[in-house]
Amino acid sequence: MGSVLGFPGIDPRDAAVGARLKHWREERGVDVETVAAALKITPEEERRAEAGRAHLNALQIAAATRHLRLPVWALVSDSRAY
């Protein structure tokens, strides 16, 4: 992971989780502010997470899956875990 002009690089795992979060949030028709409130973060932090520029911890991933009515694997993998 490198950086450009002092900006930290993006962790590919965070980028993948963020992309999945954005996909499912939009699929479910939920706005950023609602998901951010469920995760107990600001809407800006939620946008950064969706862009892969912020790390979501296990509790936040669990909160997002509960709020969006998803199995946990939906945010951490592209294939079913069962």
Side-chain angles (χ1 to χ4, degrees), residues 16-79:
V17 169
R20 290 181 193 109
L21 175 60
K22 182 175 182 176
H23 165 80
W24 285 110
R25 179 183 59 74
E26 290 175 345
E27 181 79 16
R28 298 285 199 252
V30 179
D31 61 28
V32 170
E33 291 77 13
T34 303
V35 173
L39 301 180
K40 296 183 173 41
I41 59 177
T42 67
E44 180 59 33
E45 289 171 314
E46 205 276 336
R47 286 185 192 93
R48 282 198 312 263
E50 287 186 358
R53 297 203 172 273
H55 177 77
L56 294 177
N57 64 36
L59 293 174
Q60 291 168 323
I61 290 172
T65 57
R66 274 192 313 274
H67 189 76
L68 296 172
R69 300 186 198 288
L70 298 168
V72 173
W73 65 261
L75 293 185
V76 297
S77 175
D78 288 326
S79 57

